[in-house]
Amino acid sequence: MAKYIFVTGGVTSSLGKGIIAASLAKLLQARGFKVTIQKFDPYINVDPGTLNPYEHGECYVTEDGAETDLDLGHYERFLNIFTSQANNVTTGRIYQTVINKERAGDFLGKTVQVVPHITDEIKRRMLLLGAEKKFDIVITEIGGTVGDIESLPFIEAVRQLQWELPDDDVAVVHLTLIPYLKAAKELKTKPTQHSVKMLSETGVHPDVIVCRTEEPLSNEIRRKIALFCNVKQEAVIEAMDASTIYEVPLLMLREKLDVICMRKLGISIFPEPDLENWKVFLDKLKYPKSKVSIGLIGKYIELQDAYKSILESFIHAGAMNEVKVSVVNVHSEFITEDNVAEKLAGLDGLLVAPGFGHRGTEGKITAVKYARENDLPFFGICLGMQMAVIEFARNVLGLKDAHSTEMEPNTPNAVINMMEEQKKIKMMGGTMRLGSYPCEIVQGSLAEKIYGNTHITERHRHRYEFNNQYLEQFEENGMKASGTNPDTGLVEIMEVPSHPFFIGVQYHPELKSTVESPAPLFVKFIAAAKKYNETKGNLISALLKKETV
Ligand code: GLN
């Protein structure tokens, strides 16, 4: 029988509940337990797939094609496991299920209510992964902040489970903020007291309080929190700001968060955690030997969460190469033929990001052209690959009006076209080509060198594809399709073999990069950028030498 840990949040949002949940899971996993994490989100959207990145950050896609909250990305990156549709549940999905059942007449004439019908459905889903007998411990992160109207049914479901399940099968961890008042030079516990009080009023009592803080918690403060919030002093955990999120598991280990949770769950025998690989990674991350600058060309660059998995993949790939990857955000809307050289000066590689819609696409195409013509390592993801195709069509094949029908529905040269099966789709939610598909790689290609394999699977999220009618023309002129879907022939990878590193992929390799298994494309892209940087350095010193002679 699985045990359940619930993680709630108080005082304010953005405290990093996902990172705390993932860190706790990592520690339990390192002690030999089979752990998974799920996220329950209070909003009414059935999933975040229809949400603009400005609203909700990146939409993370799982193997089984679920469009989910970006915290699932953290769970996978920390735990090196796959999550699935079952790991992300929203209020919208709960209501959809209950309403469908009501329409089917499943409630036998009863009035359908929040309690018990909605809470029963929430509980059923909270216990679902545990019931599969694949996991020892299931951690459930409750989105939102305690006190929000929207999250009340979720908190009520936790209350019922705390009451229904054996005492040592449930633990509740409450994450809160201890603000530091500079003027008074004091840490303040009052907001935490209030938020725990609010949680207790709904009938849920936290077993552990994790305190986000900029200053260390003194014993006195810990005692005060313990006293007013009715927990043991050892269950008041300090969560100081860390230099990287990957340090948080070690900070939580030091604070014994995992041991205290295990104690509450009646687990008394457990091995020392095996975090050897994790520590090696952290060392490489913290002490890089050199630095590369990568331009991230996108239209949501003001919002770091929009490209979360890409940024994390750079961190994994940087550590593998023992370099610090400095990501320079370049807004695609402001790139023109006249300023592109200046905007991209000093970069060692260029990544053109995924995206939707017309805005910023001309800037992306201009940036790709610069990278292709100047031997700058180039990596295009999804829309980024499509931009590389359009650029090549316009500037090498001479098809000046080449475009994607997403931006220009009537273009005479639709080198990127809507996929056939997408044309009949009217409903927007969950209808893209989503999730994991196989790809066959051409022997001797850059892609094969990168993966060391000719059969791969990667995750997708798109409606448009390379138009195979143009394939011959592209290949004759130096851009090759080096990876295709074996069942449909859909082009998955395009590359320019005459360039040192120029590759675009229709899929999203960033979704499968984890600390223990970084995405090969990112690792090799950073290696290419490192090489570019060294060559550039050699050229400059050669030039300087010449000048001094
Ligand atoms: N808008 C493009 C498509 O739907 C690319 C999608 C993406 O970058 N995820 O095909």
Side-chain angles (χ1 to χ4, degrees):
M1 168 105 186
K3 294 186 182 276
Y4 298 89
I5 300 176
F6 295 95
V7 181
T8 58
V11 182
T12 168
S13 58
S14 306
L15 286 184
K17 245 184 307 175
I19 303 296
I20 293 293
S23 299
L24 173 57
K26 183 75 220 168
L27 294 178
L28 294 168
Q29 186 192 55
R31 291 190 191 270
F33 295 101
K34 287 194 234 59
V35 191
T36 192
I37 322 184
Q38 51 188 358
K39 172 118 195 242
F40 279 57
D41 274 313
Y43 52 76
I44 312 283
N45 303 63
V46 172
D47 63 41
T50 51
L51 288 171
N52 186 317
Y54 286 120
E55 292 275 321
H56 197 260
E58 165 190 277
C59 173
Y60 187 77
V61 179
T62 55
E63 282 290 289
D64 62 347
E67 295 183 293
T68 71
D69 185 77
L70 58 77
D71 271 337
L72 270 76
H74 288 310
Y75 307 161
E76 292 204 3
R77 288 188 283 272
F78 273 58
L79 298 180
N80 203 28
I81 58 163
F82 287 160
T83 56
S84 71
Q85 179 66 73
N87 294 71
N88 193 194
V89 177
T90 67
T91 295
R93 193 171 290 277
I94 299 279
Y95 271 81
Q96 193 182 47
T97 311
V98 173
I99 290 171
N100 286 344
K101 271 193 187 169
E102 185 275 333
R103 291 290 81 185
D106 289 357
F107 293 110
L108 303 172
K110 289 267 180 233
T111 308
V112 182
Q113 294 176 301
V114 173
V115 184
H117 301 100
I118 293 297
T119 46
D120 278 354
E121 179 57 20
I122 296 174
K123 284 193 292 180
R124 188 183 72 79
R125 289 183 184 259
M126 280 176 168
L127 301 180
L128 208 58
L129 288 170
E132 283 178 11
K133 296 197 169 54
K134 282 196 301 209
F135 303 106
D136 305 312
I137 300 170
V138 177
I139 299 182
T140 304
E141 181 193 343
I142 311 281
T145 309
V146 166
D148 294 347
I149 292 175
E150 291 93 338
S151 57
L152 272 177
F154 291 140
I155 304 286
E156 167 61 13
V158 175
R159 183 194 70 79
Q160 293 180 18
L161 287 177
Q162 235 181 350
W163 182 72
E164 285 167 8
L165 294 176
D167 236 17
D168 58 5
D169 277 356
V170 182
V172 175
V173 174
H174 186 61
L175 176 65
T176 170
L177 175 72
I178 310 288
Y180 180 72
L181 290 195
K182 267 207 194 103
K185 292 202 178 60
E186 253 187 290
L187 285 167
K188 292 306 214 183
T189 64
K190 193 71 84 191
T192 297
Q193 293 179 37
H194 280 300
S195 107
V196 172
K197 193 169 159 216
M198 207 175 315
L199 189 58
S200 302
E201 275 167 9
T202 56
V204 173
H205 188 70
D207 301 298
V208 183
I209 298 188
V210 178
C211 306
R212 277 300 303 274
T213 172
E214 286 170 28
E215 295 291 321
L217 300 183
S218 64
N219 270 340
E220 195 191 330
I221 291 271
R222 286 180 196 248
R223 200 164 49 239
K224 195 168 166 189
I225 296 169
L227 180 70
F228 284 106
C229 301
N230 211 11
V231 295
K232 294 254 176 350
Q233 189 171 327
E234 61 182 24
V236 176
I237 304 286
E238 169 189 287
M240 289 273 286
D241 293 352
S243 61
T244 148
I245 55 169
Y246 297 108
E247 183 122 46
V248 180
L250 299 184
L251 296 182
M252 291 302 104
L253 179 68
R254 213 182 305 145
E255 285 285 303
K256 300 194 173 59
L257 172 62
D258 56 333
V259 173
I260 288 156
C261 287
M262 285 189 289
R263 203 172 290 157
K264 168 66 184 68
L265 295 173
I267 304 169
S268 49
I269 303 165
F270 41 81
E272 281 301 303
D274 175 7
L275 288 164
E276 239 8 85
N277 292 346
W278 194 269
K279 286 180 185 160
V280 170
F281 160 79
L282 253 188
D283 257 4
K284 285 189 181 167
L285 179 62
K286 284 167 85 175
Y287 308 106
K289 295 192 174 128
S290 55
K291 185 183 136 185
V292 294
S293 295
I294 302 293
L296 171 63
I297 318 288
K299 68 169 176 179
Y300 303 116
I301 47 140
E302 321 72 328
L303 188 87
Q304 288 299 294
D305 273 0
Y307 302 116
K308 194 84 217 162
S309 294
I310 291 177
L311 297 178
E312 297 305 321
S313 302
F314 277 138
I315 291 175
H316 309 155
M320 280 296 271
N321 283 289
E322 298 184 72
V323 295
K324 176 173 171 39
V325 180
S326 157
V327 177
V328 180
N329 295 315
V330 187
H331 206 305
S332 50
E333 258 188 294
F334 308 128
I335 301 175
T336 62
E337 282 283 353
D338 295 337
N339 69 15
V340 63
E342 182 197 332
K343 288 245 184 237
L344 306 186
L347 296 178
D348 305 309
L350 193 72
L351 184 141
V352 178
F356 295 84
H358 196 278
R359 186 163 69 88
T361 50
E362 289 308 316
K364 285 182 177 173
I365 294 168
T366 308
V368 177
K369 178 169 184 264
Y370 179 88
R372 187 178 53 76
E373 291 180 343
N374 291 282
D375 279 355
L376 181 64
F378 167 80
F379 180 14
I381 298 182
C382 207
L383 183 71
M385 172 259 199
Q386 298 174 356
M387 295 294 109
V389 164
I390 296 169
E391 188 281 316
F392 200 83
R394 288 187 188 173
N395 300 319
V396 180
L397 307 185
L399 307 171
K400 289 289 165 221
D401 47 12
H403 222 313
S404 160
T405 49
E406 180 180 5
M407 314 355 168
E408 202 55 66
N410 300 320
T411 173
N413 281 300
V415 289
I416 303 292
N417 212 349
M418 188 180 261
M419 284 179 273
E420 221 25 66
E421 67 271 21
Q422 286 286 327
K423 290 185 179 154
K424 30 188 188 300
I425 287 172
K426 296 271 176 304
M427 300 284 269
M428 296 307 278
T431 55
M432 281 188 240
R433 178 171 180 252
L434 290 166
S436 184
Y437 285 94
C439 167
E440 293 292 320
I441 292 179
V442 173
Q443 274 186 359
S445 62
L446 173 63
E448 194 209 356
K449 260 188 233 121
I450 289 170
Y451 281 94
N453 205 337
T454 52
H455 307 279
I456 58 160
T457 57
E458 290 280 9
R459 298 185 197 168
H460 300 73
R461 185 173 190 249
H462 64 121
R463 294 190 201 278
Y464 295 81
E465 64 176 332
F466 176 76
N467 184 346
N468 270 323
Q469 285 175 5
Y470 290 89
L471 185 57
E472 231 180 86
Q473 228 177 319
F474 272 80
E475 298 216 316
E476 275 166 11
N477 286 281
M479 186 182 246
K480 308 265 184 214
S482 57
T484 46
N485 179 294
D487 307 315
T488 62
L490 178 142
V491 171
E492 295 280 12
I493 312 176
M494 282 299 235
E495 57 185 71
V496 175
S498 61
H499 187 286
F501 192 101
F502 189 104
I503 193 160
V505 295
Q506 186 57 76
Y507 50 82
H508 291 263
E510 74 276 20
L511 299 174
K512 268 170 68 173
S513 187
T514 70
V515 166
E516 272 154 64
S517 172
L521 263 165
F522 279 86
V523 175
K524 295 295 167 23
F525 174 56
I526 295 302
K530 192 172 151 190
K531 202 163 153 200
Y532 180 89
N533 180 286
E534 285 161 5
T535 327
K536 199 170 63 180
N538 291 342
L539 273 177
I540 294 173
S541 50
L543 273 176
L544 285 177
K545 236 189 234 155
K546 230 183 191 170
E547 267 173 28
T548 40
V549 175

